Amino acid sequence: MVDLPLKRLVVIIWVLGIGSGWAITAAAAPAYGTRLPEKFHLVVGGQTHAVLNRGLEDAHGEMSSLQHFLLLSFGITDWLSLDLKGGAGDIEQDPDNGNKIQYPAFVGGGYGFRVRLYNEERIKAVFGFQHISIHPYSVFIGNTKNKAVLDDWQFSLLGSYDLKWFTPYLGAKWSRMDYIHWAEDFRKRKQSDSDNSAGLIAGMDIPFGFAEGKRTWINVEGQFLDSQAVAVSVNYQF
């Protein structure tokens, strides 16, 4: 068995530590970073996405969510990828006036795409769109059935620079995350705060393993300003 190089092990531990810090101090759909699958190749991964705080309009307070997904990304061309995900997630909504509602985790999923706009040696630029929908279990408050859906939309523009041991990226995003609530048959869409739709994304891809092309990597990403969120995934390209 070949030992993982010490430098790379240090980088992985350091980046995971940074990701934990983002989770404590840093919501929208993860942007996946700037590494796209090669043409006609498939990337499979596992991801955890924690939305710690997303403000809602008016007196609807804020919401949070913990989500776990299986990721599938397919390279349609060398510069265009289709991104799919499926899994489960919960919702917690805390209004300014009233009681907090916690919806236990159930089914969730999403889709999106990424387009590579620039690719020159170590520098890449990628535009992306991502959507996530979470459908947790309904809950009863007294005799009233409460149902909820989290609806998350995001456009992003990222730039990255390959530092060999890892690839940091930074970018901007516009996002919207709505809380759709049913009290029995009465439905109301409670939108995220429109004054906080623009945000920042900071993340890293850390390759590891010994296969040619380093087909396995960890992605860590934090999101700021419009929301507080962090995502961590492990990915492999076939």
Side-chain angles (χ1 to χ4, degrees):
M1 180 177 180
V2 180
D3 293 331
L4 191 67
L6 179 58
K7 287 184 179 179
R8 185 159 305 179
L9 182 60
V10 170
V11 168
I12 291 172
I13 294 173
W14 176 71
V15 171
L16 291 178
I18 293 294
S20 299
W22 280 337
I24 294 171
T25 62
Y32 284 79
T34 60
R35 179 167 178 172
L36 273 62
E38 298 171 7
K39 183 178 179 180
F40 298 149
H41 283 258
L42 179 68
V43 171
V44 178
Q47 181 186 73
T48 293
H49 178 216
V51 179
L52 304 177
N53 182 358
R54 183 70 191 237
L56 301 172
E57 287 187 331
D58 301 326
H60 300 311
E62 60 188 35
M63 66 175 168
S64 59
S65 176
L66 181 62
Q67 306 159 12
H68 306 284
F69 295 115
L70 172 68
L71 306 179
L72 298 173
S73 292
F74 181 73
I76 298 173
T77 70
D78 286 332
W79 51 268
L80 174 64
S81 74
L82 174 65
D83 303 321
L84 303 173
K85 62 177 60 181
D90 63 12
I91 299 175
E92 181 177 292
Q93 193 254 343
D94 189 6
D96 291 341
N97 301 301
N99 297 320
K100 182 186 298 184
I101 306 179
Q102 295 177 311
Y103 301 90
F106 194 47
V107 67
Y111 58 86
F113 65 87
R114 285 172 293 158
V115 179
R116 182 181 292 126
L117 304 178
Y118 184 83
N119 184 16
E120 185 66 29
E121 295 183 355
R122 295 186 175 187
I123 301 173
K124 293 182 175 62
V126 170
F127 170 81
F129 163 77
Q130 303 295 333
H131 171 61
I132 292 176
S133 186
I134 300 296
H135 300 253
Y137 284 109
S138 301
V139 297
F140 280 87
I141 300 177
N143 294 321
T144 302
K145 181 181 179 181
N146 288 264
K147 175 184 174 182
V149 171
L150 181 154
D151 210 18
D152 186 355
W153 307 84
Q154 175 175 284
F155 295 92
S156 62
L157 181 62
L158 305 176
S160 67
Y161 187 82
D162 187 357
L163 296 175
K164 186 178 178 181
W165 296 110
F166 64 98
T167 303
Y169 60 87
L170 185 68
K173 67 188 179 79
W174 179 92
S175 68
R176 172 172 163 175
M177 182 182 290
D178 294 350
Y179 167 67
I180 307 173
H181 177 230
W182 287 260
E184 295 295 350
D185 294 328
F186 178 75
R187 177 185 182 274
K188 184 174 179 61
R189 178 182 286 267
K190 302 174 182 180
Q191 299 180 6
S192 56
D193 186 356
S194 58
D195 292 334
N196 291 296
S197 295
L200 293 177
I201 299 173
M204 296 183 188
D205 288 327
I206 313 102
F208 64 95
F210 302 96
E212 183 179 353
K214 297 186 176 68
R215 294 184 176 274
T216 306
W217 72 95
I218 297 173
N219 174 264
V220 181
E221 180 178 295
Q223 303 194 0
F224 312 90
L225 297 184
D226 61 336
S227 59
Q228 298 177 10
V230 67
V232 179
S233 66
V234 178
N235 309 274
Y236 181 82
Q237 177 173 279
F238 289 91

